[in-house]
Amino acid sequence: MIHQYKLNGYNIVLDVFSGSVHVVDDLGYEVIALYEKNTPEEIVKNLADRYPESEIRDCLSDVEELKSAGKLFTEDRFKPISFDFKKRSNVIKALCLHVAHTCNLNCSYCFASQGKYNGERAIMSFEVGRRALDFLVENSGKRRNLEVDFFGGEPLMNWQVVKDLVAYARSIEKEKNKNFRFTLTTNGVLVDDEVIEFANREMSNVVMSIDGRKEVHDRFRVDYAGKGSYDNIIPKFQKFAEARGDRSYYVRGTYTHLNTDFTEDLFHLADLGFTELSMEPVVTAPDDPVALTEEDFPKLCEQYEILAKDMLRRKKDGKPITFYHYMIDLSHGPCIYKRISGCGSGTEYLAVTPWGDLYPCHQFVGDEKYKMGDIWQGVTNTELRDEFKLTNVYARPDCENCWAKLYCSGGCAANAYHATGDIRGVYEYGCRLFKKRMECAIMMQVAENMPSSAE
Amino acid sequence: MKHIITLDTREMNEANGGCGECQTSCQSACKTSCGVANQKCENTAE
Ligand code: SF4
Ligand code: SF4
């Protein structure tokens, strides 16, 4: 399968099943587009009025050569392995610990309904958290790297337990031959020097929630009195980000129908000194006034292009920023198993509620149907687990002809469920945005890695 | 090759990979959607 597109002056051709990325001239672009449905003679005839015949034949032989090298028009060899996935191991390597189902902000778009996930406010006890970590170790097989996210609600509202759990994990990792990697996601309200110092020592990643410009941020991210949180959190996060040094962090925002010019928000964050940025489209019911609309779509595409071009410029100027969705490593990216195995929810990644129940991921918490078991008895709903094992790109009928499948892996099961009622559906709007982002991300790789640009 | 320039990309090969030491996709930043393209491979032996 081939996907070709033009962006920022480049003609780009992707060969889906080999992962190859080609940059071609105009003739090459046309030849490749005609190649599968026409004989070489037909292609020559078709293009003869615009290109010299010798050039066309030259180009055809280039295409042939790449095809026999397995870099163009490559066949799908991976389908058979994907169905083995039902047999895939039950190893768990990551947990999202909902240490606090409560929040000190009252963000109106919160998918977790102010951290309560449609339930009661609750706080995870140290005993539950410790058992969750033991459960992870017991179920992690030979995997050494174990990921634990402190999530909420707002995890800093249960900070002592977070710290005690980190200490507990560190106390067992040597003996168990594991390496814990912690992530903290926070709204910033309770960030202080002590939090920063601890996080810098222990958290491999910190996710800071900011939406961008003050008016955008304060529209949703308000406290219980309705007051915007921007002025309160920005200085704290600036300090936090600065103190991270070269440790990983992300500023993560959400854009909605009300700020379809979201690059302004990203650039605002960059102006504030944040360099590691992530910005996600809101996922909400279609009748929600902030939901993204069909009219928004072309605007959003334009925004992603503006962002990509601006990032290239910033890099040239020696002031690069990172955008999470544009990070793509063509030469040392994920292996094919990763690319077809889906997001891992319900299989290698589970969410733990404050009282120890297990769910496929943080987005399913609170939906009783999706309860998988608990940290004492383990995964008891194995039928559900089998269902999630197969939520990969080959199991979703809508992904069959999608060129982005090996970059996407099948998308978000939770979004699919919320959009279609089925974890094996797809959230079509999200897919289109995803594909746009991939086109931009690959274009940036092309701009930066074109071997010929040096020649 | 005059008309086509090919970037270096990781070979997609059933014979390598699958060690599972990498992050799960939804971690690290976004938490509402995912892709695998931006995931790093942790197997430096490859
Ligand atoms: S972008 Fe959508 S259709 Fe394409 S692979 Fe991902 S989930 Fe499937
Ligand atoms: S289902 Fe969606 S939110 Fe849940 S882990 Fe997968 S990608 Fe993330």
XYZ file of all heavy atoms in Angstrom, chain A residues 18-19 21-25 55 62 65-66 77 93-94 96 143-145 147 149 181 205 207 252 280 324 327 330-338 343 349 362-363 407 415 438 451-452, chain B residues 1-44 46:
702
model
N 6.593 -1.488 4.359
C 8.020 -1.530 4.662
C 8.394 -0.354 5.553
O 9.504 -0.293 6.070
C 8.849 -1.480 3.376
O 8.697 -0.214 2.755
N 7.474 0.597 5.705
C 7.780 1.791 6.489
C 8.699 2.760 5.757
O 9.164 3.735 6.342
N 10.154 5.727 3.505
C 9.747 7.094 3.192
C 10.582 7.563 2.002
O 11.813 7.526 2.052
C 9.987 8.028 4.396
C 9.633 9.466 4.040
C 9.198 7.556 5.612
N 9.904 7.978 0.950
C 10.613 8.448 -0.238
C 10.232 9.889 -0.542
O 9.085 10.287 -0.333
C 10.231 7.607 -1.463
C 10.364 6.129 -1.252
N 11.574 5.475 -1.286
C 9.437 5.173 -0.980
C 11.375 4.177 -1.065
N 10.084 3.971 -0.866
N 11.210 10.616 -1.028
C 10.936 11.962 -1.525
C 11.171 11.901 -3.029
O 12.217 11.433 -3.475
C 11.899 12.987 -0.905
C 11.427 14.402 -1.226
C 11.985 12.789 0.586
N 10.206 12.349 -3.789
C 10.303 12.144 -5.239
C 10.103 13.467 -5.980
O 9.544 14.425 -5.439
C 9.242 11.128 -5.725
C 9.404 9.808 -4.985
C 7.831 11.653 -5.536
N 10.559 13.494 -7.224
C 10.278 14.675 -8.039
C 8.878 14.534 -8.646
O 8.193 13.524 -8.427
C 11.380 14.886 -9.089
C 11.502 13.728 -10.068
O 10.628 12.820 -10.041
O 12.457 13.712 -10.861
N 13.326 9.942 -19.696
C 13.172 10.249 -18.265
C 12.121 9.343 -17.626
O 12.299 8.849 -16.507
C 12.737 11.709 -18.086
C 13.802 12.726 -18.437
C 14.889 12.801 -17.371
O 14.539 12.966 -16.197
O 16.079 12.655 -17.723
N 13.744 3.105 -11.707
C 13.947 3.408 -10.278
C 12.875 2.739 -9.423
O 13.155 2.152 -8.375
C 13.862 4.923 -10.029
C 15.101 5.669 -10.534
O 16.024 4.995 -11.034
O 15.128 6.910 -10.425
N 13.369 -0.951 -9.226
C 14.488 -1.283 -8.351
C 14.070 -1.237 -6.880
O 14.384 -2.140 -6.098
C 15.619 -0.279 -8.616
C 16.948 -0.704 -8.039
C 18.020 0.342 -8.363
O 18.117 0.762 -9.543
O 18.739 0.739 -7.437
N 13.343 -0.185 -6.520
C 12.894 -0.063 -5.132
C 11.879 -1.139 -4.786
O 11.836 -1.639 -3.665
C 12.301 1.325 -4.889
C 13.331 2.440 -4.817
C 12.666 3.803 -4.872
C 14.173 2.323 -3.543
N 2.864 -8.431 5.088
C 3.259 -9.744 5.604
C 2.822 -9.925 7.057
O 3.056 -10.956 7.666
C 4.784 -9.898 5.580
C 5.439 -9.664 4.263
C 6.916 -10.095 4.337
N 7.596 -9.557 5.522
C 8.199 -8.365 5.547
N 8.188 -7.584 4.497
N 8.793 -7.948 6.646
N 3.017 -4.601 32.165
C 4.232 -3.829 32.376
C 3.984 -2.395 32.813
O 4.929 -1.666 33.072
C 5.109 -3.867 31.136
C 4.496 -3.259 29.893
C 5.442 -3.480 28.716
C 5.022 -2.657 27.523
N 5.792 -2.981 26.327
N 2.732 -2.004 32.872
C 2.467 -0.617 33.247
C 1.153 -0.492 33.990
O 0.173 -1.153 33.652
C 2.432 0.258 32.008
N -1.539 2.495 35.730
C -1.923 3.875 35.995
C -2.600 3.874 37.364
O -3.669 3.300 37.523
C -2.893 4.341 34.906
S -3.361 6.055 35.039
N 9.921 -8.815 32.118
C 10.111 -7.391 31.796
C 10.811 -6.701 32.949
O 10.409 -6.859 34.098
C 8.776 -6.662 31.564
C 7.910 -7.234 30.511
C 8.552 -7.150 29.131
N 8.057 -8.271 28.336
C 7.032 -8.190 27.499
N 6.453 -7.047 27.297
N 6.628 -9.247 26.846
N 11.818 -5.938 32.592
C 12.555 -5.237 33.633
C 11.996 -3.830 33.865
O 11.796 -3.406 34.987
C 14.020 -5.142 33.214
C 14.967 -5.074 34.372
C 16.396 -5.070 33.893
N 16.958 -3.729 34.038
C 17.253 -3.173 35.196
N 17.048 -3.829 36.328
N 17.756 -1.956 35.251
N 11.716 -3.138 32.789
C 11.205 -1.772 32.925
C 9.715 -1.783 33.242
O 8.913 -2.250 32.446
C 11.415 -1.000 31.618
C 12.886 -0.755 31.342
O 13.670 -0.577 32.271
N 13.255 -0.753 30.081
N 6.447 0.605 34.282
C 6.029 2.008 34.295
C 4.854 2.175 35.257
O 3.903 1.393 35.214
C 5.551 2.437 32.906
C 6.390 1.928 31.759
C 7.494 2.876 31.367
O 7.436 4.047 31.781
O 8.419 2.444 30.653
N 2.252 5.258 36.535
C 1.817 6.649 36.441
C 1.004 7.015 37.663
O 0.052 6.313 38.004
C 0.895 6.853 35.226
C 1.569 6.508 33.919
O 2.798 6.289 33.935
O 0.875 6.453 32.896
N 9.781 3.100 36.520
C 9.817 4.452 35.968
C 8.483 5.136 36.254
O 7.433 4.649 35.846
C 10.086 4.395 34.468
C 11.504 3.884 34.209
C 11.964 4.121 32.804
N 11.264 3.280 31.870
C 11.793 2.847 30.719
N 13.016 3.194 30.384
N 11.095 2.089 29.916
N 9.189 11.158 34.310
C 8.452 12.093 33.459
C 7.424 12.832 34.320
O 6.888 12.269 35.268
C 7.765 11.319 32.323
C 7.202 12.222 31.256
O 7.614 13.375 31.102
N 6.244 11.716 30.511
N 3.987 15.324 33.710
C 3.048 15.907 32.750
C 2.313 17.058 33.433
O 1.673 16.866 34.466
C 2.042 14.853 32.234
C 1.066 15.490 31.237
C 2.777 13.686 31.588
N 0.973 19.630 28.769
C -0.063 19.024 27.976
C -1.346 19.840 28.042
O -1.852 20.139 29.107
C -0.353 17.619 28.503
C -1.356 16.874 27.660
C -2.226 16.003 28.538
N -3.116 15.190 27.747
C -4.267 15.610 27.230
N -4.660 16.854 27.397
N -5.027 14.787 26.533
N -3.824 18.152 22.750
C -4.724 17.107 22.261
C -6.094 17.669 21.913
O -6.597 18.538 22.636
C -4.947 16.088 23.382
C -3.786 15.185 23.636
C -3.657 14.139 22.569
O -4.653 13.457 22.269
O -2.565 14.014 22.022
N 4.769 16.587 20.981
C 4.673 15.150 21.222
C 4.283 14.362 19.962
O 4.877 13.340 19.646
C 3.650 14.893 22.337
C 3.500 13.446 22.692
C 4.529 12.763 23.317
C 2.334 12.770 22.396
C 4.393 11.429 23.639
C 2.195 11.432 22.722
C 3.220 10.767 23.333
O 3.088 9.447 23.649
N 6.992 13.787 17.228
C 8.195 13.016 17.508
C 8.079 11.718 16.736
O 7.134 10.964 16.922
C 8.255 12.656 18.989
C 8.732 13.777 19.859
S 8.350 13.461 21.576
C 8.774 11.766 21.778
N 12.444 7.617 12.603
C 12.290 6.690 11.483
C 13.297 5.553 11.528
O 13.005 4.439 11.116
C 12.433 7.444 10.156
C 11.335 8.471 9.847
C 11.643 9.202 8.556
C 9.956 7.810 9.756
N 14.478 5.821 12.054
C 15.478 4.765 11.973
C 15.537 3.900 13.232
O 16.044 2.789 13.193
C 16.859 5.350 11.669
O 17.126 6.399 12.551
N 15.024 4.408 14.336
C 15.036 3.556 15.529
C 13.685 3.596 16.245
O 13.595 3.611 17.458
C 16.178 3.951 16.472
C 16.589 2.839 17.384
N 17.171 1.681 16.925
C 16.465 2.691 18.717
C 17.384 0.887 17.955
N 16.965 1.472 19.050
N 12.658 3.630 15.464
C 11.306 3.656 16.010
C 10.866 2.274 16.444
O 11.671 1.353 16.540
N 9.593 2.124 16.727
C 9.091 0.861 17.250
C 9.189 -0.303 16.253
O 9.120 -0.100 15.045
C 7.627 1.168 17.563
C 7.295 2.417 16.851
C 8.554 3.167 16.636
N 9.356 -1.479 16.796
C 9.440 -2.682 15.961
C 8.043 -3.042 15.452
O 7.039 -2.511 15.920
C 10.008 -3.840 16.777
S 8.947 -4.336 18.157
N 8.003 -3.972 14.561
C 6.716 -4.320 13.951
C 5.716 -4.869 14.972
O 4.522 -4.600 14.902
C 6.915 -5.280 12.750
C 5.589 -5.529 12.039
C 7.569 -6.589 13.152
C 4.964 -4.315 11.413
N 6.208 -5.565 15.972
C 5.283 -6.115 16.979
C 4.562 -4.988 17.704
O 3.365 -5.040 17.938
C 6.035 -6.997 17.963
C 6.572 -8.233 17.295
C 7.861 -8.257 16.786
C 5.758 -9.355 17.117
C 8.347 -9.376 16.127
C 6.231 -10.476 16.468
C 7.528 -10.486 15.974
O 8.000 -11.589 15.313
N 5.338 -3.976 18.046
C 4.762 -2.812 18.702
C 3.751 -2.133 17.775
O 2.673 -1.716 18.205
C 5.897 -1.849 19.036
C 5.458 -0.567 19.675
C 5.237 -0.780 21.135
C 4.856 0.511 21.835
N 4.598 0.237 23.242
N -2.697 -0.220 21.682
C -2.176 0.674 22.717
C -1.793 -0.056 23.996
O -1.128 0.519 24.844
C -3.186 1.765 23.020
S -4.648 1.160 23.869
N -1.218 -2.853 30.012
C -1.414 -1.598 30.746
C -2.784 -1.632 31.410
O -3.783 -1.906 30.755
C -1.335 -0.441 29.751
C -1.695 0.938 30.271
C -0.990 1.503 31.323
C -2.707 1.691 29.684
C -1.294 2.785 31.782
C -3.023 2.969 30.135
C -2.315 3.510 31.177
O -2.616 4.771 31.619
N -7.114 4.206 32.165
C -7.724 5.320 32.908
C -9.038 5.795 32.298
O -9.904 6.282 32.999
C -6.722 6.479 32.980
C -6.172 6.873 31.640
N -5.301 6.067 30.959
C -6.420 7.929 30.850
C -5.014 6.639 29.801
N -5.685 7.772 29.704
N -9.186 5.673 30.967
C -10.393 6.186 30.324
C -11.615 5.301 30.572
O -12.736 5.704 30.294
C -10.173 6.297 28.813
C -9.187 7.358 28.432
C -9.865 8.643 27.991
O -11.076 8.780 28.038
N -9.060 9.598 27.583
N 1.684 3.410 11.807
C 2.092 4.515 12.671
C 1.127 4.647 13.841
O 1.436 5.238 14.860
C 2.103 5.841 11.905
C 3.044 5.855 10.731
C 2.579 5.750 9.438
C 4.427 5.969 10.934
C 3.443 5.761 8.356
C 5.301 5.980 9.863
C 4.804 5.876 8.572
O 5.666 5.877 7.515
N -11.535 6.062 22.875
C -12.169 6.967 21.918
C -13.102 6.203 20.987
O -14.197 6.666 20.668
C -11.125 7.695 21.065
C -10.433 8.816 21.823
O -10.811 9.126 22.948
N -9.429 9.399 21.213
N 0.538 12.832 11.181
C 1.608 11.971 10.669
C 2.217 12.557 9.403
O 3.426 12.535 9.215
C 1.082 10.563 10.366
C 0.940 9.597 11.502
S 1.816 9.858 13.009
C 3.412 9.928 12.693
N 18.947 13.439 2.372
C 20.382 13.308 2.135
C 20.854 14.283 1.060
O 21.971 14.764 1.100
C 20.555 11.855 1.690
C 19.182 11.351 1.394
C 18.198 12.238 2.080
N 19.954 14.621 0.145
C 20.390 15.423 -0.992
C 20.570 16.891 -0.625
O 21.272 17.620 -1.293
C 19.367 15.336 -2.111
O 18.255 16.123 -1.767
N 20.016 7.063 -8.241
C 18.592 7.256 -8.504
C 18.268 8.742 -8.580
O 18.551 9.493 -7.657
C 17.778 6.593 -7.388
C 16.650 5.784 -7.961
S 15.882 4.729 -6.739
C 16.657 3.167 -7.082
N 17.685 9.117 -9.695
C 17.554 10.543 -9.947
C 16.201 11.097 -9.478
O 16.088 12.253 -9.097
C 17.699 10.744 -11.458
C 18.105 12.142 -11.849
C 18.537 12.169 -13.312
C 17.571 13.046 -14.099
N 17.418 12.668 -15.486
N 15.212 10.264 -9.552
C 13.859 10.775 -9.304
C 13.360 10.500 -7.899
O 12.370 11.060 -7.464
C 12.880 10.155 -10.316
C 13.283 10.415 -11.736
N 12.974 11.577 -12.386
C 14.008 9.679 -12.603
C 13.475 11.541 -13.613
N 14.108 10.399 -13.767
N 14.016 9.595 -7.212
C 13.520 9.172 -5.898
C 14.661 9.165 -4.884
O 15.710 8.580 -5.130
C 12.919 7.747 -5.966
C 11.851 7.684 -7.067
C 12.325 7.342 -4.621
C 11.244 6.315 -7.275
N 14.426 9.813 -3.772
C 15.388 9.743 -2.674
C 14.710 9.005 -1.528
O 13.574 9.313 -1.165
C 15.791 11.147 -2.197
C 16.484 11.890 -3.339
C 16.693 11.078 -0.981
C 16.592 13.378 -3.095
N 15.405 8.023 -0.972
C 14.798 7.217 0.083
C 15.466 7.529 1.409
O 16.685 7.499 1.514
C 14.955 5.722 -0.254
O 14.349 5.503 -1.525
C 14.302 4.850 0.783
N 14.648 7.848 2.400
C 15.199 8.109 3.740
C 15.537 6.793 4.437
O 14.951 5.761 4.139
C 14.155 8.861 4.575
C 14.258 10.387 4.641
C 14.331 11.016 3.284
C 13.081 10.954 5.422
N 16.426 6.873 5.378
C 16.740 5.700 6.196
C 15.590 5.414 7.136
O 15.218 6.272 7.925
C 17.971 6.001 7.067
C 19.217 5.511 6.399
O 19.092 4.731 5.431
O 20.304 5.912 6.841
N 15.047 4.220 7.078
C 14.002 3.870 8.044
C 14.317 2.501 8.618
O 15.026 1.707 8.010
C 12.613 3.800 7.381
O 12.699 2.999 6.201
C 12.104 5.178 7.008
N 13.774 2.254 9.786
C 13.986 0.952 10.397
C 13.316 -0.118 9.548
O 12.178 0.039 9.125
C 13.377 0.932 11.791
C 13.535 -0.425 12.446
C 13.034 -0.442 13.863
N 13.335 -1.740 14.450
C 13.239 -2.011 15.727
N 12.858 -1.070 16.563
N 13.528 -3.207 16.191
N 14.019 -1.195 9.357
C 13.442 -2.284 8.587
C 12.329 -2.951 9.399
O 12.480 -3.230 10.581
C 14.526 -3.301 8.275
C 14.187 -4.118 7.067
C 15.314 -5.084 6.742
O 16.499 -4.702 6.868
O 15.001 -6.228 6.388
N 11.216 -3.166 8.754
C 10.113 -3.840 9.442
C 10.274 -5.322 9.199
O 10.034 -5.808 8.104
C 8.789 -3.418 8.840
C 8.583 -1.967 8.977
S 7.301 -1.640 10.110
C 6.915 -0.005 9.536
N 10.682 -5.966 10.246
C 11.065 -7.336 10.041
C 10.566 -8.166 11.218
O 10.810 -7.808 12.371
C 12.596 -7.355 9.971
C 13.109 -8.689 9.541
O 12.456 -9.713 9.752
N 14.278 -8.690 8.948
N 9.898 -9.249 10.905
C 9.352 -10.076 11.984
C 10.461 -10.652 12.849
O 10.238 -11.038 13.986
C 8.540 -11.257 11.427
C 7.365 -10.865 10.576
C 7.734 -10.768 9.101
O 8.782 -10.151 8.793
O 6.990 -11.279 8.268
N 11.659 -10.707 12.283
C 12.732 -11.368 13.016
C 13.309 -10.503 14.121
O 13.956 -11.000 15.024
C 13.843 -11.781 12.059
N 13.106 -9.195 14.035
C 13.612 -8.451 15.183
C 12.517 -7.649 15.863
O 11.560 -7.201 15.260
C 14.845 -7.604 14.838
C 14.580 -6.608 13.737
O 13.568 -5.931 13.720
N 15.504 -6.530 12.798
N 12.680 -7.537 17.149
C 11.702 -6.800 17.929
C 10.864 -7.710 18.791
O 11.076 -8.923 18.836
N 9.942 -7.094 19.498
C 9.043 -7.876 20.331
C 9.557 -8.108 21.737
O 8.992 -8.912 22.469
N 10.604 -7.396 22.154
C 11.128 -7.645 23.497
C 10.214 -7.060 24.572
O 10.222 -7.512 25.705
C 12.540 -7.090 23.648
S 12.602 -5.288 23.747
N 9.454 -6.042 24.208
C 8.461 -5.512 25.143
C 8.986 -4.573 26.205
O 8.258 -4.210 27.111
N 10.214 -4.147 26.114
C 10.750 -3.263 27.149
C 10.332 -1.805 26.970
O 10.582 -0.967 27.827
C 12.279 -3.367 27.217
C 12.795 -4.699 27.774
C 12.459 -4.915 29.260
O 12.048 -3.970 29.946
O 12.591 -6.059 29.729
N 9.686 -1.517 25.877
C 9.295 -0.121 25.630
C 8.072 0.262 26.466
O 7.375 -0.582 27.005
C 8.983 0.070 24.149
S 7.888 -1.184 23.496
N 7.802 1.562 26.491
C 6.632 2.078 27.201
C 5.346 1.597 26.535
O 5.336 1.345 25.342
C 6.617 3.600 27.093
C 7.451 4.313 28.099
C 7.118 5.797 28.117
O 6.799 6.383 27.113
N 7.216 6.387 29.280
N 4.271 1.565 27.301
C 2.990 1.357 26.627
C 2.613 2.678 25.962
O 3.026 3.743 26.383
C 1.880 0.916 27.591
O 1.625 1.969 28.492
C 2.264 -0.326 28.343
N 1.815 2.567 24.933
C 1.654 3.717 24.056
C 1.044 4.941 24.716
O 1.349 6.059 24.371
C 0.778 3.334 22.873
O 1.242 2.151 22.323
N 0.154 4.739 25.631
C -0.608 5.870 26.123
C 0.129 6.622 27.205
O -0.344 7.626 27.694
C -1.946 5.410 26.658
S -3.140 6.726 26.642
N 1.264 6.134 27.596
C 1.927 6.793 28.694
C 2.685 7.995 28.215
O 2.664 8.329 27.043
C 2.839 5.795 29.359
C 1.970 4.757 29.994
C 2.786 3.888 30.843
O 3.595 3.152 30.350
N 2.587 4.021 32.118
N 3.308 8.608 29.108
C 4.193 9.740 28.873
C 3.489 11.055 28.610
O 3.689 11.984 29.333
C 5.244 9.466 27.811
O 4.679 9.430 26.542
N 2.653 11.180 27.617
C 2.154 12.533 27.471
C 0.669 12.677 27.275
O 0.030 13.463 27.939
C 2.879 13.255 26.370
N 0.087 11.952 26.390
C -1.206 12.470 25.969
C -2.373 11.931 26.764
O -3.252 12.665 27.157
C -1.393 12.275 24.489
S -1.544 10.589 23.993
N -2.402 10.641 26.994
C -3.434 10.048 27.846
C -4.847 10.102 27.285
O -5.786 9.798 27.998
C -3.448 10.722 29.232
C -2.298 10.279 30.109
C -2.640 9.019 30.865
C -1.535 8.658 31.845
N -1.551 7.271 32.225
N -5.040 10.547 26.086
C -6.384 10.432 25.530
C -6.388 9.821 24.158
O -7.441 9.640 23.564
C -7.106 11.786 25.387
O -6.244 12.664 24.705
C -7.530 12.342 26.706
N -5.259 9.554 23.623
C -5.255 8.945 22.305
C -3.841 8.461 22.109
O -2.977 8.778 22.892
C -5.587 9.947 21.226
O -4.550 10.883 21.122
N -3.614 7.720 21.074
C -2.244 7.293 20.972
C -1.851 7.015 19.558
O -2.635 7.024 18.639
C -2.000 6.061 21.815
S -2.371 4.542 20.958
N -0.622 6.792 19.412
C -0.055 6.320 18.174
C 1.195 5.619 18.615
O 1.580 5.731 19.777
N 1.813 4.885 17.746
C 3.054 4.253 18.161
C 4.251 4.898 17.504
O 5.379 4.649 17.885
C 3.085 2.743 17.855
C 2.152 2.020 18.782
C 2.749 2.466 16.410
N 3.976 5.746 16.507
C 5.080 6.287 15.728
C 6.062 7.045 16.597
O 7.249 7.061 16.340
C 4.531 7.197 14.638
N 5.559 7.667 17.656
C 6.477 8.460 18.468
C 7.059 7.684 19.646
O 7.674 8.261 20.523
C 5.796 9.751 18.936
C 4.472 9.477 19.605
O 4.179 8.323 19.916
N 3.682 10.500 19.837
N 6.845 6.409 19.646
C 7.429 5.599 20.712
C 8.871 5.250 20.368
O 9.204 5.034 19.224
C 6.636 4.307 20.860
C 5.172 4.552 21.139
C 4.927 4.879 22.582
O 5.270 4.122 23.456
N 4.354 6.037 22.820
N 9.647 5.185 21.421
C 11.054 4.824 21.205
C 11.246 3.339 21.402
O 10.646 2.745 22.270
C 11.913 5.540 22.239
C 12.477 6.831 21.754
C 13.782 7.132 22.498
C 14.194 8.561 22.259
N 13.296 9.536 22.863
N 12.122 2.777 20.600
C 12.509 1.392 20.817
C 13.587 1.374 21.883
O 14.529 2.152 21.843
C 13.034 0.796 19.515
S 13.650 -0.864 19.721
N 13.461 0.472 22.852
C 14.430 0.457 23.950
C 15.469 -0.623 23.785
O 16.324 -0.813 24.639
C 13.701 0.244 25.281
C 12.605 1.239 25.467
C 12.678 1.948 26.796
O 13.624 1.711 27.547
O 11.767 2.753 27.055
N 15.334 -1.351 22.712
C 16.262 -2.445 22.513
C 17.468 -1.951 21.733
O 17.461 -1.909 20.510
C 15.554 -3.556 21.757
C 16.362 -4.822 21.790
O 17.573 -4.781 21.974
N 15.699 -5.944 21.614
N 18.490 -1.572 22.468
C 19.632 -0.954 21.798
C 20.458 -1.976 21.029
O 21.289 -1.631 20.221
C 20.543 -0.255 22.823
O 20.645 -1.103 23.958
C 19.972 1.081 23.226
N 19.395 -3.717 18.809
C 18.934 -3.886 17.446
C 19.425 -2.843 16.479
O 19.461 -1.688 16.780
C 17.414 -3.883 17.446
C 16.937 -5.295 17.570
C 15.431 -5.318 17.762
O 14.739 -4.476 17.206
O 14.989 -6.190 18.507
